[in-house]
Amino acid sequence: MKFSLSWLREHLETTATLEEICATLNTIGLEVEGVEDRGAILAPFRTARIIEATQHPNADRLRVCQVDAGEGFERVQVVCGAPNARTGLHVIFAPPGTFIPASGITIKAGKLRGEESGGMLCSLRELGLGEESDGIAELPDDTVPGQSYALFADLDDPVIDIAITPNRGDALAVRGIARDLAAAGLGELKPWLTATVESRFDTPIDWRVTFPEACPWVLGRSLRGVKNGPSPEWLRRRLESIGLRPVSALVDITNFFTFDLGRPLHVFDADKLLGSELTICRGAGETFTALDGSEHVMTPDDCVIADSRGVQSLAGIMGGAESGVSETTTNVFVECALFDPVAIALAGRRHNLHSDARQRFERGVDQALPPAALEAATRMILDLCGGEAGSVVSAGVEPAWQRQAHLEFARLETLGGLSEAPDHAVHLLERLGFAVRERDARHVVVDVPSWRNDIATPMLLDQRPDLPPARAQAAAQGAIEIDPEVDLVEEILRLRGLDSVPAVSLPLRSAVPLPALSSRQTRIAGLRRQLAARGLLETVGFSFVAMDQAAAFGETPADLHLLNPIAADLDQMRPTPLVNLLAAVRANAARGYPDLGLFEVGPGFDADGQKLIAAGIRSGHSPRLPGQPAQPVDLWQVKADALAGLAVAGAAMEGCTITADAPSYYHPGRSGVIRQGPKLVLGHFGQLHPALLAARGIDVPVCAFTLYTDAVPEPRRKRKAPPALSAFQPLRRDFAFVVAADLPAEKLLRAVKGAERNLIVAVHLFDVYEGDKVPAGHKSLGVEITLQPMDRTLTDAEIEAVCDRVVAAAQKSCNAVLRG
Amino acid sequence: MSDDLETLREQTVQALAAATDLREWDAVRVGTLGKSGRLTALLKELGRMTPDERRTRGGALNRLRDELSRLIEARGQELETAALNARLAAERVDVTLPCAPDAQGLLHPITRTIEEMAAIFGSMGFQLAEGPDIESDWHNFSALNTPAHHPARTDQDTFYLPAEASGQPERVLRTQTSGVQIRTMLGQEPPIRIIAPGRTYRADHDATHSPMFHQCEGLVIEKGITLGHLKGCLSDFLRAFFQMPDLPVRFRASYFPFTEPSMEIDIGWSRRTGQIGTGGDWLEVLGAGMVHPRVLANCGLDAREWQGFAFGMGIERLTMLRHGIPDLRSFYESDVRWLRHYGTSPLSPAMLHEGL
C-alpha cells in the first residue's frame, strides 16, 4: 500500500517528520517497505536566472554566466557548456556541495579554462527526472529565483510504501493509516464529513440480489449528463504519486476512493447496460471479459452482476469490458456494495484475478460506510464531471456488524507483560475508534468500530474431532472468553510499541536442564558424526526429485506425486536420499571432482509413509600414492560405513546378518542386505548397478549404502555388568575349511563361534582361497579362533577337544572339511 | 705377565681391531673365549700344574680373561652400533613425502545450526520435537486458525499431494513446522517447551527462495508465560547464537493467524557490509507471538488456564547471516567444494561449555 505524505496529511493533522512517521508505522505493525523521498534528494537544487551570459574567452563551447540564485547566491559566476545558456533564461542551479543524482558527482567550486565557476546549471536528466538532455532545463519566465526546485516543481512529496498484513483491511486506506498514526500519538485525525447530494430524478435501474450470502447489501445511483474528461491536476498527481496511471475522471474517482477510504466502487456506463435491473447472482457458465481483457467462465460459486444481456462484473473483483466507462460516457450507474470476504477470496483465487478491490473486499471493508461513500463519490463526480444525480437505490440491508469486546485490565500484564494504566489503555482504544460502553476499575467493554473486521470476530474453531467432548467444550469456551481480550491487548501493545514491554528471561524449570534430545535423536546425531568421521561429506537434498530418477530407486506411488510441482524435475517424493546423492556424484564429476564420499540423513517416502534414511555414496578412486596405485571404491568400504553407522544408531550388531538380496539398483553379485532376524531389514550396501550408472553417463565406480534408522530397535538401557578380565592368556588356533564355493562365509563363522560359546571369544576369517588346490566347486576358508580361558590354563587335551568340536560344528552346518 | 700371555693379549687386541663386522668379531671371540679358544685352552692347562704354579699362573690367566672379555664385549658393542647406524642410514626415506590423506568428512551447515539451536534452547529447558513432512491440511492450516479462504494462505504457495481418501482434503507438504506445535499440544499436557527444526516447502524458486528450506519452530505453553518472556527468550537466543551479548534486537508488531499479539523481530546489522550487530540498519530474522486462543482451543487447551508463545525462524537464513554465506541455492547443490568450505568437523559438536 503506497501513499504520499501530502495525501496522508489530508487526513492527519501532524507536525511529525517523515522519519518519525516511518518509525511509528514500523512500530504499530504497518511495516515500511520503502520510502521514496525525491524532495530530500533534490533539496539543494534552486531556481535561478541567468543575469548575463557571455562567451568564454578560452573555449568556443563554453559560456560564462552570471547567475542569480536567490539569497546567498545573488550573483554567482557559473561556466556552462549548454548551447541554450543565454541571458535572461530561468534555470536550475546546483551550488557547490550538491550531489548530482544522475552522474553521482558532487559539485565543487573551481576554475574552468581559467574562469571561476561557483556551481552548476542543470538539465532535468541530471536531476534524475527525465531523458531530456539537449541543454539545461528552461523554467518559466515568471519563476522567482532562489526557491527550492523540488518545492517549485511539486516534487517534495515523499511516497511511503507499507506492507499490510491480512487482518488489516482498514489500513488499505490512507484514512485508516492516518487513524492508526493519530492513535499512536502522531497527530490528530481530521474529521471526514460528507453532505447528502440531492437527487434530481429517479434512478432507472434497480438492484435484485439472488445471492445474498455473497452480497448482503448493495447501493447504487445513476448520474446523467456527465462529461468524462481527464481528471484535474490534483487528482492526477495523487494517483501518479502512488504509481497509478490516471485514466479518466470517472475511473480516477473510483481509484481515489479505493485508496483514500479503502472503499472500492464501480462505475457502469449506464447506456451500455441493458434492461432496468442489475442482478447480483451466482455465475452460470457464462464467459465474462474483465476490464483487463482476460476471459473467465463464471461458476455457481462466483458472485456476478448481470444485466439482461449477461454478466457485467465479477462482483467485488473486476468490472466487465463491455459496460465500462469511456471518453464518450454521459450516463453512469455507480455501484457501492458489501461483499462476503470469503466469497471474494475464493473467486479471486479461482480466476487468478488480482485487483485493488479484491484486496480490500477479501480483508473486509467498513461495513457502515457505503451510504456516505456513495454520497462522497457522487459529490466528486458532480464536481469533476458535471451532470445531475439520481436517487439512491439499494437491495439488502446493512449487516448487523455491531459487537462488543471486553478487556480485563490485568490481562495487559498477565498476557502482554506490560503494566499499563487503565486510563491510557482506554484512551488508546478510543483513539482507534472503539467506544466505551461500560467500565469499572477492573475492566472495560467497548463497541468495535465498523471498519475493524479483525476484532472480536465470530468464533470459528476447527477443533480436533477426537478430543473428549468436555475438554473440547471447555477449550472452546476459553477461546470465546479470551479471544476478544487478546484482540484488544494486541491493539494497545502495538500502539505503545512492543519495545516498551520489558524482556524477561524464561524461568528455569530445573537448575540443570534435561537433555534437549531424545535417545533416538541423540543416536541420529551420533550417526551423522560417525559417517562424517569416516570421511563422508554431509549433503542436504530436496525431498522431491524427478519421477524417472525416483523410479530407479523404488516405487513411485501416485499419492506421492505432487499435484502442483514447481518444476517437472521436482515432482515426486523421493524414495531415498540416494537419488540425490547419485545426482550429486554426477554433478561433481562433471565439475571435475569424481572422487568423493557423500552422505545424507533425511526423509525417504514410500507407500508405508515417511522414513528417516541415512544414505551414503562413494565414487571414483583413492588418490595415487608413491608405490600405491589408485584403487577404485569398493563395496567393503560402504559395508564398513553401513555397519559403523548402524552401530552408532544403536543396532545390536551381534545379531545382524547379511544376505545377498539387495535391491535391483545394486550390482546383483556385489551387494548385501543387513538384517536383524529374518524380517527386519536395517539397510543395504554394495556397488551400484553398472546399467544405472551408464544411464546417467557416470563412468567412475560408485558404491552406496542405505540405513533405515527407524527400523533400528530402541536399545535397552541397562547397566553394564563389570567386564570379566581373565588373568590367563588367550590362545589362537587356525583352521582351513573346504566348503562349497557358494557357501556364505558368515554361515561358517557362526557355526564355528557356536561350537563352544564359553571359550571361543572371537572368530576371524583371514583367508579365502579358490583354485586348483581345492576340489572344483569348492573354496578354502582360513579361520582363526581365539580361546579365552577364564579360571585356569587349558590342558592340551581340552584344547584338542574344543578344536574337535569346532570341526564337527563346521562339518555339521556347512558340510565343511578340514583342508588336508 | 708371561710372554705367551702378553702375546695372546696383543694378538687378540689386534684381531678385534681388525674385525670389521660382527661375524669377524664373533670369530675372534670364539677363537679366544670359546670352548676351543686359545685362552680357554690355557685355562684347561692349569689343572696339570702344581698348586704354586697354578696360583701364580691362574691369577694372571683370570686377569687376562677378564680384560679380554671386556675388550671383546666393548668391541662387539662398537660394531653393533656401527652396524645399526649403517642399517638406519640405508633405511633413510624422504620424510617430506605426503602421507596417505584421510578423507575429511564434514557436517552440513544446516545440521550445525540445528545443533546450535538445540544447544541454546536446550539450556533454556526446551526439548526437540519432530513431525512428518507430509501433513494434513488440518495440521498445517486449519488447526492454526488459517481456514481455507484465509488471505494468509495465498501468501504461502503450498505444494499439494493427493488426498488419502476421496472426499478428504488434499495433503500438503508442510509450509511451516507449526504442525509439530499442534501434534505436541495434542500429544502431551503442558507445561511445554519445544523447538521443532525441520524441512519446509513452498512453491517458490529464485535466488532468495528455495522450494525446500528449513525452519525452526518453537512453542512454550505454561502458566504465567507473558509476552515479556517471549522477548526475553528470543533475545537470549539471538544473542547466544550470534555470540553478541549486546546484539540490538527490535520487536515490531505484525500479524500471523496463529498468534496474537504477533510480531516480527529484527536484529541490528549493516546493510552495506553485512556485519551483524552494528551499522544502524535492521534485519528481520524471526516471527513470533502469543499462541492464539483459537489455536489452543483447536488442540483442546483452555485459554483461561494456559497461555504461551510460539516462534519460527528460517534456519538457512540464520546460517547465512552467521557465516556470511551469500547464496541460498548453494545449500542444496552438494558441491563438494562448497561442502568442504562451510562444513564443520564431526569432532567439535555444538556444546555450550566449549563455546559455539
Side-chain angles (χ1 to χ4, degrees), chain A residues 29 414-415 462-463 471 483 487 490 498 501 504-505 507 516 521 532 538 541 543 559 563-564 588 600 610, chain B residues 105-106 108 111 128 133 138 158 160 171 189 193 199 201 227-228 231 236 253 260 292 294 297-298 300 307 334:
Chain A
T414 59
L415 181 85
D462 198 338
Q463 290 187 302
R471 179 167 184 150
D483 184 77
D487 290 341
E490 177 172 57
L498 296 172
V501 176
V504 184
S505 288
Q521 289 164 341
E538 190 186 19
S543 306
D559 68 346
L563 295 172
N564 59 335
N588 279 299
E600 178 175 351
Q610 178 175 342
Chain B
L106 296 167
H108 196 279
T111 296
L128 195 132
D133 294 26
W138 186 81
T158 310
Y160 290 95
R171 295 170 304 155
E189 293 295 323
R193 286 187 194 183
R199 294 172 176 231
Y201 307 85
L227 197 145
K231 288 187 63 178
D236 289 342
E260 187 175 30
H292 202 290
R294 299 182 188 202
N298 287 339
Q307 64 190 31
S334 305

Side-chain angles (χ1 to χ4, degrees), chain A residues 606-806:
Chain A
D606 64 16
D608 299 334
Q610 178 175 342
K611 296 182 169 76
L612 184 65
I613 293 177
I617 203 160
R618 289 180 182 270
S619 69
H621 296 78
S622 64
R624 288 185 299 171
L625 291 167
Q628 208 177 314
Q631 298 291 325
V633 294
D634 61 39
L635 77 107
W636 307 115
Q637 290 171 286
V638 289
K639 182 178 180 183
D641 291 333
L643 295 178
L646 275 180
V648 179
M653 301 311 291
E654 285 295 292
C656 287
T657 56
I658 310 288
T659 56
D661 49 350
S664 60
Y665 49 87
Y666 287 107
H667 184 309
R670 294 190 173 178
S671 57
V673 178
I674 309 168
R675 294 172 184 273
Q676 195 167 40
K679 289 201 183 123
L680 191 61
V681 172
L682 299 182
H684 30 75
F685 61 88
Q687 195 173 318
L688 288 185
H689 200 292
L692 184 79
L693 302 183
R696 283 158 184 73
I698 298 173
D699 56 3
V700 291
V702 183
C703 293
F705 67 88
T706 299
L707 304 177
Y708 299 105
T709 66
D710 306 302
V712 176
E714 180 79 16
R716 274 191 296 259
R717 296 181 62 126
K718 55 180 181 192
R719 229 173 106 151
K720 278 184 177 177
L725 303 177
S726 175
F728 300 90
Q729 284 219 344
L731 49 104
R732 300 188 171 85
R733 289 290 182 274
D734 288 352
F735 300 85
F737 290 110
V738 176
V739 295
D742 61 356
L743 180 89
E746 191 181 85
K747 191 172 181 194
L748 179 72
L749 298 180
R750 276 185 187 281
V752 169
K753 182 99 197 265
E756 173 52 73
R757 291 206 172 271
N758 291 331
L759 278 173
I760 301 176
V761 292
V763 176
H764 169 65
L765 181 80
F766 63 87
D767 184 44
V768 178
Y769 172 78
E770 282 176 278
D772 54 10
K773 305 264 179 5
V774 291
H778 287 72
K779 63 186 174 187
S780 166
L781 300 177
V783 177
E784 179 197 78
I785 64 170
T786 304
L787 302 176
Q788 177 62 68
M790 293 309 292
D791 48 5
R792 63 193 167 82
T793 305
L794 296 179
T795 65
D796 287 349
E798 286 169 326
I799 297 169
E800 193 72 14
V802 172
C803 290
D804 287 348
R805 281 204 289 284
V806 165

Side-chain angles (χ1 to χ4, degrees), chain A residues 56-71:
Chain A
H56 192 292
N58 306 323
D60 288 351
R61 292 168 157 254
L62 297 181
R63 257 161 258 271
V64 180
C65 305
Q66 306 304 320
V67 175
D68 172 11
E71 203 184 329

Side-chain angles (χ1 to χ4, degrees), chain B residues 14-334:
Chain B
Q14 278 170 18
L16 279 175
T20 55
D21 61 23
L22 283 169
R23 201 174 50 81
E24 288 172 13
W25 166 83
D26 201 46
V28 177
R29 183 184 64 82
V30 172
T32 310
L33 299 174
K35 267 185 191 163
S36 343
R38 290 166 66 192
L39 186 65
T40 313
L42 292 176
L43 281 166
K44 282 178 183 161
E45 286 169 9
L46 281 178
R48 295 195 295 270
M49 290 184 182
T50 66
D52 281 353
E53 281 173 346
R54 198 184 298 160
R55 195 173 306 115
T56 321
R57 180 85 173 164
L61 271 174
N62 277 339
R63 279 192 298 281
L64 180 61
R65 187 187 61 193
D66 289 351
E67 187 188 359
L68 286 182
S69 294
R70 203 173 62 248
L71 289 172
I72 287 168
E73 184 61 24
R75 179 60 178 158
Q77 275 182 8
E78 217 174 281
L79 285 172
E80 234 172 75
T81 304
L84 181 63
N85 286 344
R87 181 165 71 82
L88 295 185
E91 284 174 0
R92 181 179 299 276
V93 296
D94 175 3
V95 294
T96 67
L97 288 179
C99 45
D102 279 336
Q104 168 84 75
L106 296 167
L107 296 172
H108 196 279
I110 289 175
T111 296
R112 175 69 189 188
T113 297
I114 292 174
E115 279 195 4
E116 290 177 358
M117 289 174 172
I120 298 169
F121 282 110
S123 76
M124 293 191 258
F126 284 74
Q127 246 115 50
L128 195 132
E130 292 166 300
D133 294 26
I134 300 175
E135 273 286 17
S136 72
D137 184 87
W138 186 81
H139 282 97
N140 195 69
F141 289 122
S142 307
L144 288 155
N145 196 31
T146 317
H149 57 81
H150 199 286
R153 281 218 195 181
T154 56
D155 296 335
Q156 298 183 342
D157 305 301
T158 310
F159 286 114
Y160 290 95
L161 288 161
E164 265 181 331
S166 66
Q168 286 184 5
E170 289 155 356
R171 295 170 304 155
V172 302
L173 281 182
R174 61 182 180 189
T175 57
Q176 54 204 2
T177 45
S178 311
V180 184
Q181 283 185 30
I182 301 301
R183 289 172 188 279
T184 306
M185 284 189 275
L186 289 168
Q188 75 177 79
E189 293 295 323
I192 292 170
R193 286 187 194 183
I194 56 149
I195 56 166
R199 294 172 176 231
T200 48
Y201 307 85
R202 292 187 198 174
D204 220 345
H205 205 178
D206 58 35
T208 56
H209 294 89
S210 167
M212 187 193 91
F213 56 103
H214 293 71
Q215 271 198 349
C216 182
E217 196 84 16
L219 175 71
V220 174
I221 304 282
E222 277 167 48
K223 285 179 179 159
I225 289 292
T226 76
L227 197 145
H229 293 113
L230 180 165
K231 288 187 63 178
C233 172
L234 294 176
S235 303
D236 289 342
F237 164 74
L238 288 168
R239 288 171 180 154
F241 182 78
F242 287 105
Q243 299 170 21
M244 276 182 207
D246 305 320
L247 178 71
V249 181
R250 178 174 84 165
F251 294 78
R252 268 186 302 108
S254 187
Y255 168 81
F256 304 107
F258 29 86
T259 51
E260 187 175 30
S262 300
M263 67 207 69
E264 286 179 333
I265 299 161
D266 304 334
I267 57 172
W269 80 315
S270 162
R271 188 171 291 124
R272 203 172 49 79
T273 64
Q275 201 187 343
I276 304 288
T278 53
D281 299 316
W282 292 103
L283 181 68
E284 182 204 327
V285 292
L286 264 164
M290 301 302 289
V291 180
H292 202 290
R294 299 182 188 202
V295 175
L296 293 174
N298 287 339
C299 300
L301 293 178
D302 187 338
R304 292 168 295 190
E305 188 179 0
W306 297 105
Q307 64 190 31
F309 63 87
F311 55 89
M313 52 193 152
I315 290 174
E316 282 85 344
R317 181 169 175 74
L318 284 172
T319 308
M320 289 166 82
L321 291 173
R322 174 84 188 277
H323 302 291
I325 301 175
D327 186 1
L328 173 65
R329 288 171 294 194
S330 57
F331 279 82
Y332 321 103
E333 282 169 353
S334 305

